[in-house]
Amino acid sequence: MATQKPQRSPAEIEDIILRKIFLVSLIDSMESDSRVVYLELTAAEILSEGNPDMFPGIDDTVVSDHANLMRKKQSPLLPLIYSNVGGGAIIDSYGGSGSSGGITCPPGFLDEFFGEGDFDSLDPIFKCLYDNLREKVVKESALGNFQQPLRALLYLVSLPVGAKSLVTHRWWMPSGSYLNGRAMEVASILGPFFHISALPDTGFFRSKPDVGEQCFSQSSSRRPADLLSSFATIKTVMNNLYDGLHEVLLCLLKKPDTRENVLEFLAAVINNNFSRAHLQIDPMTCASSGMFVNLSAVMLRLCEPFLDANLSKRDKIDPNYVFYSNRMDLKGLTALHASSEEVSAYISELNVGRSDGSTVNNVTDNRLLTSLEATGSGINSGGPPAQNVRSMLNGDKTKYPFICECFFMTARVLNLGLLKAFSDFKHLVQDMSRSEDSLATLKAMQEQAPTPQLKQDIDRLEEEIESYTREKLCYEAQILRDGDLIQRALAFCRLMVVWLVGSVGGFNLPLPSPCPMEFACMPEHFVEDAMELLMFASRIPKALDGVILDDFMNFIIMFMASPEYIRNPYLRAKMVEVLNGWMPRRSGSSATASLFEGHQLSLQYLVKNLLKLYVDIEFTGSHTQFYDKFNIRHNIAELLEYLWQVPSYRNVWRQIAKEEEKGVYLNFLNFLINDSIYLLDESLNKILELKALEAEMSNTAEWERRPAQERQERTRLFHSQENIIRIDMKLANEDVSLLAFTSEQITSPLLLPEMVERVSSMLNYFLLQLVGPQRKSLSLKDPEKYEFRPKHLLKQIVNIYVNLARGDEKNVFPAAISRDGRSYNEQLFSAAADVLIRIGEDGRIIQEFVELGAKAKAAAVEALDAENALGDIPDEFLDPIQYTLMKDPVILPSSRVTVDRPVILRHLLSDSTDPFNRSPLNPDMLISDLELKAKIEEFIRSHSTRNRDDDVLLQSTKGTIQNPTSDMQLI
């Protein structure tokens, strides 16, 4: 049997260090090495100061005191370790010393020193070293000297005793009632290393040197080359940090006796920072964005072994981890479709038949068996053999392979880290934009009526914008300009969406019904994070180069119009934003063109799903749904306009309009028209209000007499109105444009009985505003500033008129135009024709438009004659909504009210309820009232016959008078 090495006290170890390194000793002994000098006077001085713990054999009970003393001062070993690991700080110009004090470590000394001792004797030294390293970096920023401590940390954890000592350190994972996310960052050993960042942190926790002040102060006046140099430096040092921390965690994960500690540490960091997902966070209780961005980068590096192009290891990710993980509470997160009650019920179903309720059904057990049998990425080596899996499944905890744990942890870290940073950056830019708008307003006010208060406000805003600019450039330096970081994140998100699609049977349409609960219960942020990342990456040059986008494209097409799979309409709307960023004219990348023009699933389903989402988004369930829908539809309209220009998509679009004429396409047209009318009406009214404000401000004498506060408020209102007009007019132009180019080839849905009068009213209203008596009141000094282009708008409106007239085979359009009692006026057509001639519209268009006006005038005369002929119409024949003569009466099944079919169908396009009692209603539920219809037809026929007889008699009488007989002439 091998003899056990005698345990050495810390004092003995310290003496060994002094002898081997400095060739001195504080102990008089029979040392055979003549080079070692006994420092007798120094030893006496130390003893006189009450420090007997420096000497072996003097009261070993002071070991704990010795450890405390070691924590308060540097260990003599640290300079030697620095010398051994090499490499000073990269950015000495920013103040990092990076030196080891000129001390050179003898070759092999550290390996021999740490190799000789056992855990009990070396553990206090390691713990002291970890304390020292933590203190070295606790206030360091990306420009500080953190690289030697990081290398030293990596060296120490590479040693078996060093790794064990780290994870058993009482500050490896702080505990106690005070524990929160910030405490994990500040107090743990690894936390300060993860805190090193270029991103700004709040007050007390701010690191030095301040990256914003050092690199980006007064950036507007700095040379572009200086900024680029700063960007490159920050990217380099941050990637050195990421690589070093990744190596530290990987080293610990590969050791069986420390792997579990690392997973527990990561889970604790995540769990104690759950509130980072909130819009507003408390910096005193949450870790910094810098820490979580760094953690995101490190976790992505840990995922690399299973992010191969084929994603061949995705079957090792068990979805039941969401329900049964003992590390993280994921089942409480918002799910893709299932409510919290439905998630709980699903878990209960999975637990049926289990005595302890800790595991799931046999199918899941088998999947878990397969996963555990696999060795994964190399980190899983040494895992439990297959014969122990069953006992594990029946134990208190379900075990999962590292790939599974790493996947779900990385997903949460990205949500709380990188994606949260993207969100913060977006809000930062928005705040900066608002401040710039306010500054412009205040400067305009200062020019008109300068005051000391305005000057102070301007100075404050300029300082605020300077601060925003520094923060913005810090985000840009660490995140937006790090293409590798973004591409790693995209690769992980691709794994997420491919894995999710696997739970619904793969990339196939139509989707199975109902939605599988395994998909419905997955965290919503998985998809949201993927979409947000794609949106940001699309705005960064070359960020998508080399990224496999087909899986993302397939995912978006499958789910963007599937509320029964993804409940959140705003999440589905984000998918459209992603596609908008991929349009070739925007992305600047030829790779994205093939996603549309050569993509079979896209060609087959994209147009239809966009039209369906355009309709679905009318009701989002949010209190801001009325305003949100315009922005969402704006994105859809832009994408539809691009697709119309691609012949293959245009053909599909025409086919959809034909097949879905009274389905989704008619609903799409209805909401498109509704939005157009509202937006233009709102814009024109705001223009009138803006002109009134302009008149107030232009009357200088009267304006100057007003109180300063009132002038400020009126000026702010003026700029607010400007923004509203600009946005609303842009959206209105887009909607009219969409109607104009589609009506050139698709007219029949617009001429249906339930739609034609709606279209006619809209066109007449636009025409009245553009060429009617009030048109001069809409003149602006700079209409282009407000996206107001009346000449172009008039051309588009007239083209829609002409397009519909060309497709009007049943000649219903002129009559519909003339029935509009609100805006129709026969003189508008001639007035518009005069304007069209002046602005150079095509002569053939003008001629057809004038002819349409003549037909509408004739239809108006004919309708008036018919109305006079019918006389008093019985109330039972009148539609109760429009008070017009019904032609196709139907009975509403719930309220039993009889209405005209075209009228109720028009109502149902916007509202699927009975207008008289709000009960659910759809077109298939309408009951034809054949008896009433027969009565109406008989009423019309009898009055028509009577009036024909009267006409014959009248004409006969007229003939007698005009052509008298000879006898009468004689008389």
Side-chain angles (χ1 to χ4, degrees):
M1 295 179 59
T3 58
Q4 187 175 5
K5 287 185 177 181
Q7 293 187 358
R8 292 190 175 96
S9 69
E12 290 175 320
I13 295 171
E14 200 165 284
D15 185 60
I16 292 173
I17 294 172
L18 291 173
R19 290 172 180 273
K20 290 192 174 184
I21 299 173
F22 300 106
L23 299 179
V24 298
S25 175
L26 299 177
I27 303 168
D28 186 14
S29 65
M30 302 300 294
E31 175 62 54
S32 59
D33 191 341
S34 60
R35 297 175 302 166
V36 176
V37 178
Y38 170 46
L39 302 178
E40 182 177 3
L41 293 178
T42 303
E45 182 179 355
I46 292 173
L47 283 172
S48 67
E49 292 175 353
N51 291 317
D53 52 314
M54 296 287 290
F55 304 91
I58 300 181
D59 193 3
D60 287 341
T61 61
V62 301
V63 170
S64 60
D65 293 333
H66 167 77
N68 290 330
L69 177 66
M70 291 288 286
R71 290 188 180 96
K72 294 178 183 176
K73 64 179 183 177
Q74 182 170 308
S75 165
L77 282 175
L78 203 52
L80 297 177
I81 295 173
Y82 283 172
S83 172
N84 190 63
V85 298
I90 287 181
I91 45 174
D92 291 334
S93 60
Y94 288 114
S97 64
S99 67
S100 56
I103 297 175
T104 302
C105 181
F109 166 74
L110 290 176
D111 293 338
E112 181 181 348
F113 175 77
F114 287 121
E116 287 185 357
D118 55 24
F119 178 78
D120 290 336
S121 60
L122 292 178
D123 181 50
I125 295 177
F126 275 110
K127 284 181 167 54
C128 172
L129 289 169
Y130 290 133
D131 283 336
N132 292 157
L133 292 175
R134 176 194 166 280
E135 291 170 5
K136 290 289 184 183
V137 300
V138 74
K139 283 289 186 179
E140 296 290 337
S141 74
L143 302 181
N145 177 28
F146 66 83
Q147 304 213 31
Q148 279 191 326
L150 180 60
R151 291 191 184 95
L153 176 67
L154 179 57
Y155 170 73
L156 294 177
V157 300
S158 68
L159 303 170
V161 175
K164 183 179 179 182
S165 180
L166 176 59
V167 300
T168 56
H169 195 296
R170 71 189 188 101
W171 295 113
W172 161 252
M173 193 163 64
S175 60
S177 59
Y178 66 87
L179 185 62
N180 56 39
R182 182 63 79 167
M184 288 293 299
E185 178 178 28
V186 172
S188 68
I189 299 297
L190 293 185
F193 284 93
F194 278 100
H195 178 258
I196 298 164
S197 174
L199 301 184
D201 199 357
T202 189
F204 176 78
F205 303 105
R206 192 166 294 160
S207 301
K208 297 293 182 181
D210 188 294
V211 177
E213 293 178 359
Q214 194 82 35
C215 297
F216 304 119
S217 181
Q218 301 297 323
S219 58
S220 59
S221 61
R222 301 181 71 165
R223 295 185 309 151
D226 291 341
L227 293 178
L228 289 174
S229 176
S230 295
F231 288 144
T233 297
I234 291 169
K235 178 182 175 181
T236 298
V237 297
M238 292 313 302
N239 273 277
N240 287 340
L241 177 68
Y242 302 154
D243 290 339
L245 290 174
H246 167 244
E247 287 297 320
V248 168
L249 293 188
L250 190 63
C251 186
L252 294 170
L253 286 165
K254 285 183 176 179
K255 293 180 172 61
D257 57 342
T258 58
R259 180 186 307 133
E260 187 70 13
N261 300 91
V262 176
L263 295 175
E264 289 293 339
F265 170 77
L266 293 174
V269 171
I270 294 169
N271 293 334
N272 283 285
N273 284 283
F274 70 94
S275 59
R276 276 190 56 81
H278 301 165
L279 186 61
Q280 298 290 334
I281 63 173
D282 179 4
M284 299 303 294
T285 60
C286 287
S288 66
S289 291
M291 177 180 188
F292 262 84
V293 169
N294 296 344
L295 188 57
S296 298
V298 172
M299 293 302 296
L300 289 171
R301 280 164 166 76
L302 290 175
C303 292
E304 278 188 345
F306 54 89
L307 294 180
D308 57 290
N310 295 324
L311 303 176
S312 55
K313 299 177 182 178
R314 65 179 182 272
D315 60 334
K316 296 170 186 172
I317 303 170
D318 188 344
N320 289 288
Y321 186 93
V322 171
F323 314 124
Y324 296 99
S325 167
N326 294 289
R327 301 192 201 279
M328 299 187 295
D329 182 13
L330 301 179
K331 57 181 176 293
L333 298 172
T334 301
L336 281 169
H337 191 272
S339 65
S340 56
E341 294 78 14
E342 288 170 332
V343 172
S344 298
Y346 179 59
I347 295 174
S348 298
E349 289 178 15
L350 293 176
N351 289 334
V352 171
R354 291 289 178 175
S355 59
D356 60 0
S358 62
T359 55
V360 291
N361 55 32
N362 289 332
V363 174
T364 303
D365 287 358
N366 292 333
R367 184 192 293 117
L368 191 55
L369 274 168
T370 304
S371 298
L372 288 170
E373 286 170 349
T375 58
S377 60
I379 297 172
N380 280 334
S381 56
Q387 60 266 28
N388 294 332
V389 173
R390 287 294 175 191
S391 60
M392 202 185 302
L393 286 171
N394 293 322
D396 293 332
K397 292 186 177 181
T398 302
K399 301 293 184 181
Y400 295 92
F402 176 77
I403 288 178
C404 184
E405 298 240 35
C406 188
F407 171 82
F408 285 102
M409 285 187 175
T410 303
R412 287 297 291 145
V413 167
L414 286 177
N415 177 252
L416 301 174
L418 184 61
L419 272 301
K420 175 61 174 173
F422 277 137
S423 176
D424 291 343
F425 176 77
K426 179 171 66 176
H427 289 114
L428 172 65
V429 172
Q430 291 171 349
D431 291 341
M432 184 175 173
S433 177
R434 280 191 289 268
S435 295
E436 289 172 338
D437 289 342
S438 298
L439 180 62
T441 301
L442 291 180
K443 285 185 174 180
M445 294 164 57
Q446 182 77 340
E447 290 177 2
Q448 294 180 1
T451 66
Q453 183 61 48
L454 275 176
K455 178 65 169 61
Q456 290 180 14
D457 291 342
I458 289 172
D459 292 342
R460 175 184 55 79
L461 275 175
E462 286 178 338
E463 291 178 5
E464 190 175 86
I465 292 170
E466 169 65 18
S467 176
Y468 282 147
T469 302
R470 290 196 298 266
E471 290 188 24
K472 175 177 175 288
L473 292 172
C474 286
Y475 275 93
E476 185 176 342
Q478 183 168 342
I479 303 176
L480 274 68
R481 288 180 175 265
D482 191 344
D484 292 338
L485 173 62
I486 293 173
Q487 292 214 345
R488 281 188 172 100
L490 286 168
F492 181 83
C493 287
R494 175 173 168 256
L495 169 62
M496 279 204 299
V497 300
V498 172
W499 175 76
L500 280 171
V501 168
S503 64
V504 300
F507 289 106
N508 299 303
L509 284 173
L511 290 165
S513 183
C515 172
M517 284 301 290
E518 190 174 275
F519 180 94
C521 294
M522 289 300 106
E524 180 184 88
H525 79 76
F526 283 15
V527 176
E528 184 172 19
D529 291 347
M531 296 304 112
E532 288 284 355
L533 180 62
L534 288 168
M535 285 160 53
F536 267 94
S538 299
R539 301 183 187 116
I540 301 173
K542 299 183 179 180
L544 296 178
D545 289 358
V547 177
I548 302 173
L549 297 176
D550 290 77
D551 292 325
F552 291 118
M553 186 71 169
N554 289 333
F555 185 91
I556 289 171
I557 293 170
M558 288 176 67
F559 297 106
M560 67 186 299
S562 301
E564 63 277 12
Y565 272 77
I566 297 180
R567 188 189 301 273
N568 187 345
Y570 294 101
L571 178 51
R572 287 181 282 119
K574 285 182 180 180
M575 298 179 184
V576 179
E577 289 189 64
V578 172
L579 297 184
N580 269 23
W582 288 353
M583 288 191 295
R585 68 187 183 200
R586 282 191 175 168
S587 68
S589 172
S590 58
T592 58
S594 62
L595 290 174
F596 297 100
E597 300 177 22
H599 196 280
Q600 188 56 42
L601 202 64
S602 175
L603 181 62
Q604 191 173 357
Y605 290 101
L606 182 54
V607 172
K608 183 175 181 179
N609 286 353
L610 285 170
L611 297 175
K612 187 175 184 299
L613 182 59
Y614 193 100
V615 173
D616 291 344
I617 215 66
E618 178 73 11
F619 305 104
T620 63
S622 168
H623 68 284
T624 59
Q625 67 182 13
F626 180 77
Y627 301 100
D628 294 339
K629 69 179 182 182
F630 294 118
N631 291 326
I632 296 169
R633 285 175 176 164
H634 159 72
N635 292 324
I636 297 174
E638 283 194 325
L639 192 55
L640 287 172
E641 184 176 357
Y642 160 69
L643 295 176
W644 182 264
Q645 298 166 9
V646 181
S648 55
Y649 281 98
R650 187 161 61 246
N651 292 335
V652 170
W653 194 326
R654 293 168 63 184
Q655 188 64 27
I656 292 170
K658 183 178 180 180
E659 295 174 354
E660 301 279 348
E661 187 178 81
K662 291 202 173 184
V664 67
Y665 199 74
L666 198 61
N667 287 103
F668 159 71
L669 290 175
N670 176 66
F671 287 124
L672 180 62
I673 291 169
N674 287 352
D675 289 357
S676 302
I677 293 172
Y678 171 80
L679 290 166
L680 187 65
D681 192 46
E682 185 77 0
S683 302
L684 299 180
N685 288 333
K686 293 294 182 187
I687 287 176
L688 296 177
E689 294 176 16
L690 189 73
K691 286 176 67 66
L693 286 169
E694 276 184 336
E696 287 181 24
M697 298 166 70
S698 62
N699 187 344
T700 309
E702 176 63 28
W703 180 255
E704 294 293 339
R705 283 195 290 268
R706 295 190 179 192
Q709 184 175 354
E710 182 183 347
R711 282 179 286 166
Q712 291 179 18
E713 291 174 355
R714 301 296 283 174
T715 303
R716 286 193 179 94
L717 177 61
F718 178 83
H719 289 293
S720 173
Q721 299 288 60
E722 282 190 316
N723 289 332
I724 293 173
I725 293 170
R726 189 181 302 112
I727 294 170
D728 285 354
M729 192 60 74
K730 178 179 175 63
L731 297 177
N733 288 337
E734 202 164 62
D735 288 349
V736 172
S737 176
L738 192 54
L739 276 171
F741 65 71
T742 56
S743 64
E744 187 176 352
Q745 298 190 25
I746 303 173
T747 56
S748 58
L750 291 163
L751 296 170
L752 289 169
E754 57 265 41
M755 184 58 69
V756 66
E757 292 190 8
R758 186 73 172 139
V759 177
S760 303
S761 298
M762 179 198 75
L763 296 174
N764 291 343
Y765 175 71
F766 284 8
L767 200 63
L768 175 64
Q769 300 299 324
L770 294 172
V771 301
Q774 294 184 338
R775 68 181 184 277
K776 292 183 179 179
S777 64
L778 298 174
S779 60
L780 291 168
K781 293 178 182 177
D782 185 9
E784 190 68 31
K785 175 183 177 182
Y786 306 103
E787 305 276 346
F788 184 39
R789 308 178 186 96
K791 295 177 182 178
H792 179 69
L793 188 57
L794 177 61
K795 283 186 175 183
Q796 288 189 314
I797 295 299
V798 169
N799 272 272
I800 298 172
Y801 271 115
V802 172
N803 290 340
L804 294 182
R806 289 173 177 173
D808 186 19
E809 297 177 356
K810 297 181 179 179
N811 198 34
V812 297
F813 190 37
I817 292 172
S818 66
R819 280 196 296 270
D820 173 23
R822 179 190 178 196
S823 305
Y824 172 70
N825 186 324
E826 62 184 69
Q827 296 175 353
L828 292 177
F829 282 79
S830 57
D834 292 339
V835 175
L836 291 171
I837 292 170
R838 290 201 304 271
I839 64 178
E841 177 60 286
D842 181 83
R844 185 168 60 90
I845 297 291
I846 297 174
Q847 180 62 34
E848 291 184 55
F849 178 67
V850 171
E851 291 174 358
L852 176 62
K855 288 182 179 179
K857 181 180 178 180
V861 173
E862 183 180 344
L864 182 61
D865 291 344
E867 183 180 347
N868 292 333
L870 291 174
D872 292 333
I873 302 173
D875 288 344
E876 67 171 321
F877 296 169
L878 293 175
D879 173 78
I881 298 175
Q882 295 284 358
Y883 293 98
T884 54
L885 180 66
M886 291 186 286
K887 296 181 179 178
D888 187 3
V890 292
I891 302 171
L892 307 184
S894 176
S895 65
R896 306 307 295 178
V897 176
T898 299
V899 295
D900 201 12
R901 187 186 297 273
V903 174
I904 192 62
L905 288 177
R906 196 177 308 135
H907 164 81
L908 291 176
L909 290 173
S910 302
D911 187 347
S912 57
T913 63
D914 185 322
F916 298 97
N917 63 8
R918 313 307 298 168
S919 60
L921 181 65
N922 63 61
D924 295 334
M925 298 165 67
L926 302 177
I927 305 167
S928 296
D929 193 336
L930 300 179
E931 181 180 352
L932 181 59
K933 183 177 182 180
K935 289 181 181 180
I936 293 172
E937 289 174 348
E938 177 58 30
F939 173 78
I940 295 173
R941 186 164 47 250
S942 64
H943 280 69
S944 298
T945 302
R946 185 185 311 158
N947 280 285
R948 275 200 302 271
D949 292 343
D950 292 344
D951 287 344
V952 171
L953 180 59
L954 179 61
Q955 291 299 325
S956 175
T957 304
K958 286 181 179 178
T960 302
I961 295 173
Q962 293 169 359
N963 302 292
T965 63
S966 57
D967 293 340
M968 291 176 67
Q969 288 175 345
L970 289 174
I971 295 172

